[in-house]
Amino acid sequence: NAGVTQTPKFRVLKTGQSMTLLCAQDMNHEYMYWYRQDPGMGLRLIHYSVGEGTTAKGEVPDGYNVSRLKKQNFLLGLESAAPSQTSVYFCASSTAGGLHFGNGTRLTVT
Amino acid sequence: AQSVTQLDSQVPVFEEAPVELRCNYSSSVSVYLFWYVQYPNQGLQLLLKYLSGSTLVKGINGFEAEFNKSQTSFHLRKPSVHISDTAEYFCAVSDGSNDYKLSFGAGTTVTVRA
């Protein structure tokens, strides 16, 4: 009963490096989301997708790109990491009844 | 976009005492409301939700919340807390659009002491 799986769990990057975070869900949900969590700020929406092949910007999209080539996967990319992107990243998938979250990726950019 | 205000950032409480976490949201024609809990180093888990119908909603682990449309509030309550309820709690709202994305409050950290 995997639900939403995020890889990797931890990552340390140097400023300017790139990386991709992978999210996979096995619930056949149409909707998927990437949030970042920072202390005292709750969760803020980065990008989301309402179906395979579609993506849209959320509240804080700058510096990130996403792709949804397969229904079950939603990738978040950082092309040139900055210290301000140090955060915990959560992926979620959804039906009308609410979001199902992965366990997060803790990213540190030095 | 919806905005969500959680009025308390930290709530210390003794074991077996009641707790109330306050949440207000910006008004909209229709909203869906949620409470999530996050235990240390884990993802968020759904506690309860209001989509329609009865304004008193019961969730897991003995929690309940009441939707008050006139006050645009969705406060979370538990009559008797346990040590295991120590966690961060997030209120979230969807504006009912068909992308189901949620706006979250800043969170309330509940610390239960023996």
PDB file of all heavy atoms in Angstrom, chain B residues 1 5 8 16 46 48-49 62-63 78 83 87:
ATOM      1  N   ALA B   1      -7.149  33.870  -4.728  1.00  0.00           N
ATOM      2  CA  ALA B   1      -6.776  32.678  -3.983  1.00  0.00           C
ATOM      3  C   ALA B   1      -7.199  32.820  -2.519  1.00  0.00           C
ATOM      4  O   ALA B   1      -7.251  33.921  -1.986  1.00  0.00           O
ATOM      5  CB  ALA B   1      -5.269  32.456  -4.058  1.00  0.00           C
ATOM      6  N   THR B   5      -5.714  31.651   8.035  1.00  0.00           N
ATOM      7  CA  THR B   5      -5.025  32.153   9.212  1.00  0.00           C
ATOM      8  C   THR B   5      -5.225  31.205  10.376  1.00  0.00           C
ATOM      9  O   THR B   5      -6.362  30.954  10.789  1.00  0.00           O
ATOM     10  CB  THR B   5      -5.547  33.544   9.605  1.00  0.00           C
ATOM     11  OG1 THR B   5      -5.369  34.446   8.505  1.00  0.00           O
ATOM     12  CG2 THR B   5      -4.774  34.085  10.810  1.00  0.00           C
ATOM     13  N   ASP B   8      -3.027  30.603  16.366  1.00  0.00           N
ATOM     14  CA  ASP B   8      -2.049  30.251  17.392  1.00  0.00           C
ATOM     15  C   ASP B   8      -0.907  29.473  16.755  1.00  0.00           C
ATOM     16  O   ASP B   8      -1.148  28.472  16.105  1.00  0.00           O
ATOM     17  CB  ASP B   8      -2.692  29.397  18.486  1.00  0.00           C
ATOM     18  CG  ASP B   8      -3.929  30.066  19.065  1.00  0.00           C
ATOM     19  OD1 ASP B   8      -3.763  31.071  19.757  1.00  0.00           O
ATOM     20  OD2 ASP B   8      -5.036  29.579  18.792  1.00  0.00           O
ATOM     21  N   GLU B  16      -4.761  14.863  28.866  1.00  0.00           N
ATOM     22  CA  GLU B  16      -6.156  14.684  29.248  1.00  0.00           C
ATOM     23  C   GLU B  16      -6.935  16.003  29.310  1.00  0.00           C
ATOM     24  O   GLU B  16      -8.134  15.992  29.596  1.00  0.00           O
ATOM     25  CB  GLU B  16      -6.308  13.927  30.569  1.00  0.00           C
ATOM     26  CG  GLU B  16      -5.736  12.505  30.503  1.00  0.00           C
ATOM     27  CD  GLU B  16      -5.957  11.719  31.786  1.00  0.00           C
ATOM     28  OE1 GLU B  16      -6.635  12.242  32.683  1.00  0.00           O
ATOM     29  OE2 GLU B  16      -5.444  10.587  31.883  1.00  0.00           O
ATOM     30  N   LEU B  46      -4.418  13.322   6.711  1.00  0.00           N
ATOM     31  CA  LEU B  46      -5.718  13.971   6.819  1.00  0.00           C
ATOM     32  C   LEU B  46      -6.409  13.595   8.124  1.00  0.00           C
ATOM     33  O   LEU B  46      -6.581  12.420   8.431  1.00  0.00           O
ATOM     34  CB  LEU B  46      -6.597  13.561   5.633  1.00  0.00           C
ATOM     35  CG  LEU B  46      -7.989  14.174   5.574  1.00  0.00           C
ATOM     36  CD1 LEU B  46      -7.908  15.684   5.380  1.00  0.00           C
ATOM     37  CD2 LEU B  46      -8.801  13.544   4.438  1.00  0.00           C
ATOM     38  N   LEU B  48      -9.528  15.386   9.152  1.00  0.00           N
ATOM     39  CA  LEU B  48     -10.941  15.493   8.849  1.00  0.00           C
ATOM     40  C   LEU B  48     -11.142  16.524   7.745  1.00  0.00           C
ATOM     41  O   LEU B  48     -10.223  17.275   7.429  1.00  0.00           O
ATOM     42  CB  LEU B  48     -11.755  15.865  10.092  1.00  0.00           C
ATOM     43  CG  LEU B  48     -11.279  17.046  10.943  1.00  0.00           C
ATOM     44  CD1 LEU B  48     -11.653  18.377  10.345  1.00  0.00           C
ATOM     45  CD2 LEU B  48     -11.853  16.952  12.369  1.00  0.00           C
ATOM     46  N   LYS B  49     -12.367  16.517   7.209  1.00  0.00           N
ATOM     47  CA  LYS B  49     -12.669  17.431   6.118  1.00  0.00           C
ATOM     48  C   LYS B  49     -14.136  17.831   6.145  1.00  0.00           C
ATOM     49  O   LYS B  49     -14.995  17.060   6.619  1.00  0.00           O
ATOM     50  CB  LYS B  49     -12.350  16.782   4.769  1.00  0.00           C
ATOM     51  CG  LYS B  49     -13.141  15.510   4.521  1.00  0.00           C
ATOM     52  CD  LYS B  49     -12.621  14.765   3.296  1.00  0.00           C
ATOM     53  CE  LYS B  49     -13.356  13.445   3.118  1.00  0.00           C
ATOM     54  NZ  LYS B  49     -12.758  12.608   2.057  1.00  0.00           N
ATOM     55  N   GLY B  62     -10.257  11.026  17.538  1.00  0.00           N
ATOM     56  CA  GLY B  62     -11.096  11.773  18.462  1.00  0.00           C
ATOM     57  C   GLY B  62     -11.227  13.252  18.184  1.00  0.00           C
ATOM     58  O   GLY B  62     -11.805  13.999  18.978  1.00  0.00           O
ATOM     59  N   PHE B  63     -10.698  13.726  17.067  1.00  0.00           N
ATOM     60  CA  PHE B  63     -10.796  15.141  16.722  1.00  0.00           C
ATOM     61  C   PHE B  63     -12.127  15.450  16.040  1.00  0.00           C
ATOM     62  O   PHE B  63     -12.712  14.588  15.378  1.00  0.00           O
ATOM     63  CB  PHE B  63      -9.651  15.546  15.797  1.00  0.00           C
ATOM     64  CG  PHE B  63      -8.339  15.705  16.484  1.00  0.00           C
ATOM     65  CD1 PHE B  63      -7.451  14.643  16.573  1.00  0.00           C
ATOM     66  CD2 PHE B  63      -7.985  16.920  17.062  1.00  0.00           C
ATOM     67  CE1 PHE B  63      -6.229  14.788  17.223  1.00  0.00           C
ATOM     68  CE2 PHE B  63      -6.773  17.077  17.714  1.00  0.00           C
ATOM     69  CZ  PHE B  63      -5.890  16.008  17.789  1.00  0.00           C
ATOM     70  N   LYS B  78     -10.416  18.781  20.468  1.00  0.00           N
ATOM     71  CA  LYS B  78     -10.360  17.436  21.006  1.00  0.00           C
ATOM     72  C   LYS B  78     -10.606  17.544  22.506  1.00  0.00           C
ATOM     73  O   LYS B  78      -9.963  18.360  23.173  1.00  0.00           O
ATOM     74  CB  LYS B  78      -9.019  16.759  20.731  1.00  0.00           C
ATOM     75  CG  LYS B  78      -8.987  15.301  21.166  1.00  0.00           C
ATOM     76  CD  LYS B  78      -7.750  14.566  20.694  1.00  0.00           C
ATOM     77  CE  LYS B  78      -7.812  13.098  21.119  1.00  0.00           C
ATOM     78  NZ  LYS B  78      -6.640  12.315  20.627  1.00  0.00           N
ATOM     79  N   ILE B  83      -0.398  12.239  24.950  1.00  0.00           N
ATOM     80  CA  ILE B  83       0.974  12.586  24.605  1.00  0.00           C
ATOM     81  C   ILE B  83       1.204  12.410  23.108  1.00  0.00           C
ATOM     82  O   ILE B  83       1.891  13.208  22.457  1.00  0.00           O
ATOM     83  CB  ILE B  83       1.976  11.728  25.396  1.00  0.00           C
ATOM     84  CG1 ILE B  83       1.854  11.986  26.894  1.00  0.00           C
ATOM     85  CG2 ILE B  83       3.411  11.992  24.921  1.00  0.00           C
ATOM     86  CD1 ILE B  83       2.349  13.319  27.353  1.00  0.00           C
ATOM     87  N   ALA B  87       2.214  17.231  17.857  1.00  0.00           N
ATOM     88  CA  ALA B  87       2.410  17.274  16.405  1.00  0.00           C
ATOM     89  C   ALA B  87       2.150  18.707  15.937  1.00  0.00           C
ATOM     90  O   ALA B  87       1.777  19.578  16.713  1.00  0.00           O
ATOM     91  CB  ALA B  87       1.461  16.311  15.694  1.00  0.00           C
TER      92      ALA B  87
END
